[in-house]
Amino acid sequence: MKTAVWLYLFSFIAVFDLHAQYPILTPFAVSLGAAPSFIGLMMGMYSITHLPGNLIAGYSVDRFGSRPFIVLSLLLAGGVLLLQSRVTDPWQLLTLRSISGFVLAFLSPACMALLAKITTDQVRQGKLMAGNGLVHTLASVVSPAAGALLVARIGFEQAFYVLGWILIGTAACALAFIRDVQKQPTEAKPAAQPAAPAPGTGPMPWLVYSLPVAMACAQGILSFELPLMAHDDEGILATGILFSLVSLGALFTLSLLFLNRYSPYARTLAGSFFLSLAFFSVAVRVPLPLEWLLLLIGMAKGIIYPALSSLLIQLSGGVRYGRTFSILSVAFSVGAFLGPMLAGMVRDYLSPYFIGFAVLMIAVSVLPLHRIPSRSAPPTRVA
């Protein structure tokens, strides 16, 4: 479990550093003279350059382990941020964001695969994934507001410089303290626990991956739209607080540990339906404060993320964790590419939040078409 503790700590720092950029990248691009359509392209390119990295990471993590990819991903991303502090035009920013998208594509599959290999017990794996989601959410609660405050105090250039060195320092700590799990520990299974599928026999759950595509598309739309509300330092800080509210909602549902007793499939389906309704509410401007709607969006995400990870672990049959989570990252990258691009194209004619609602409802409708074996469900009790 020491590996999990170190991994949680470094994940917290990395997620804090990366999410601190959310409310400041769009205003920074605007300050360089970028148009909204170009900003959508920039955000989309960051996501699309994840794809080759995700595909490489899938096989590489299974073969070489997680540690080298965690260290190199953080180190190179920190170096890119140092260069980003010196850009003078939008095209330079686009280039560096594209490079950053590639190098960071290795981080999530490597971390998730390492967590999954710590134990073979499905209930404990579910707890580890919930813990990972909780750590990420804690970091993302404070980081957007912290990033916006940092820019208000020291400016864009120095903020990127500081964030870059934080990532480089985290990479050095990961090199010193993270160790790969070479062999999964053997654990006695409860008598009622059904046998896991034979390695390599289960097909990839392609229909299930439609959900992370839709979720990332909706999140990309949200990340594109909210910063456009900022026109000065005060607006940037307010936008950072709005992003933090989403994470605060996710933190609330992640803290409801009793949810882990229920089927990952049921939690994934219910959370996705709830998320689609939340985006619809934003699109039609229901008479509720935006802050409350963002909290609801975060609560839905807090239900889905750990449940989806647990579901994919079970459907993988206990093998190919690197490939399973690399395809998950590919799905997120595709959605994150489509979301800002679509928002930039339709925002003058249609609320982009309608796009988020539509893709989420399609995913919710498709998800039940994948046959979820009853043996993939974890025990209903928590050990």
Side-chain angles (χ1 to χ4, degrees):
M1 293 303 294
K2 183 186 292 186
T3 299
V5 173
W6 282 116
L7 195 57
Y8 286 161
L9 175 61
F10 298 139
S11 294
F12 178 89
I13 297 173
V15 171
F16 177 92
D17 195 282
L18 297 173
H19 282 237
Q21 301 178 58
Y22 279 2
I24 65 179
L25 274 173
T26 295
F28 179 57
V30 170
S31 72
L32 296 175
S37 58
F38 186 90
I39 295 171
L41 174 64
M42 179 188 71
M43 296 177 68
M45 285 301 297
Y46 172 85
S47 301
I48 206 64
T49 53
H50 261 55
L51 292 177
N54 291 149
L55 295 173
I56 296 170
Y59 292 91
S60 301
V61 168
D62 285 338
R63 183 173 180 181
F64 301 108
S66 297
R67 181 171 177 255
F69 297 101
I70 294 173
V71 173
L72 287 175
S73 183
L74 291 170
L75 180 65
L76 294 175
V80 169
L81 274 177
L82 295 183
L83 295 175
Q84 190 171 300
S85 68
R86 301 293 184 226
V87 301
T88 56
D89 68 71
W91 288 102
Q92 291 176 350
L93 182 60
L94 174 65
T95 301
L96 289 176
R97 292 299 294 167
S98 299
I99 296 172
S100 181
F102 176 77
V103 299
L104 284 171
F106 295 84
L107 184 60
S108 180
C111 290
M112 299 292 280
L114 184 56
L115 273 178
K117 287 190 290 185
I118 289 175
T119 178
T120 57
D121 180 77
Q122 290 183 356
V123 175
R124 292 187 62 194
Q125 283 177 332
K127 290 181 180 179
L128 286 172
M129 293 302 162
N132 183 64
L134 183 61
V135 168
H136 280 222
T137 305
L138 283 171
S140 59
V141 165
V142 296
S143 54
L149 182 62
L150 192 64
V151 168
R153 294 291 178 86
I154 62 177
F156 289 112
E157 293 80 6
Q158 289 301 313
F160 290 131
Y161 188 78
V162 169
L163 294 174
W165 277 112
I166 291 176
L167 279 183
I168 292 173
T170 305
C173 292
L175 180 63
F177 297 111
I178 286 183
R179 294 291 180 267
D180 270 308
V181 178
Q182 300 298 329
K183 184 178 180 181
Q184 293 180 351
T186 57
E187 301 176 7
K189 293 183 179 180
Q193 178 82 13
T201 59
M204 296 302 293
W206 298 112
L207 288 177
V208 176
Y209 286 113
S210 64
L211 177 59
V213 172
M215 288 182 62
C217 180
Q219 176 61 40
I221 290 170
L222 189 66
S223 299
F224 177 85
E225 285 293 309
L226 287 183
L228 290 177
M229 300 168 57
H231 301 289
D232 50 28
D233 288 347
E234 185 177 345
I236 294 173
L237 183 58
T239 303
I241 294 174
L242 291 179
F243 277 111
S244 294
L245 286 174
V246 177
S247 299
L248 194 62
L251 178 62
F252 173 76
T253 46
L254 282 168
S255 301
L256 302 178
L257 300 181
F258 69 88
L259 292 177
N260 293 323
R261 301 184 181 187
Y262 298 98
S263 160
Y265 171 72
R267 285 183 283 146
T268 301
L269 188 62
S272 303
F273 182 70
F274 183 36
L275 183 61
S276 67
L277 292 183
F279 267 86
F280 180 78
S281 300
V282 178
V284 300
R285 299 181 180 181
V286 297
L288 286 174
L290 178 62
E291 292 81 359
W292 286 102
L293 296 175
L294 293 177
L295 277 172
L296 293 177
I297 288 174
M299 290 172 63
K301 291 171 62 179
I303 294 172
I304 300 169
Y305 279 119
L308 180 61
S309 299
S310 298
L311 180 61
L312 289 174
I313 287 174
Q314 294 168 11
L315 293 177
S316 72
V319 295
R320 299 182 303 180
Y321 289 135
R323 273 168 273 185
T324 296
F325 288 112
S326 73
I327 296 174
L328 177 63
S329 295
V330 167
F332 279 129
S333 298
V334 171
F337 169 73
L338 294 175
M341 293 285 288
L342 291 172
M345 290 188 294
V346 307
R347 69 186 313 269
D348 291 334
Y349 317 101
L350 176 72
S351 171
Y353 295 109
F354 275 116
I355 304 296
F357 161 71
V359 296
L360 283 167
M361 281 304 298
I362 291 172
V364 170
S365 301
V366 166
L367 187 60
L369 298 179
H370 181 85
R371 184 174 177 271
I372 307 294
S374 59
R375 64 185 178 185
S376 70
T380 56
R381 64 182 182 86
V382 177

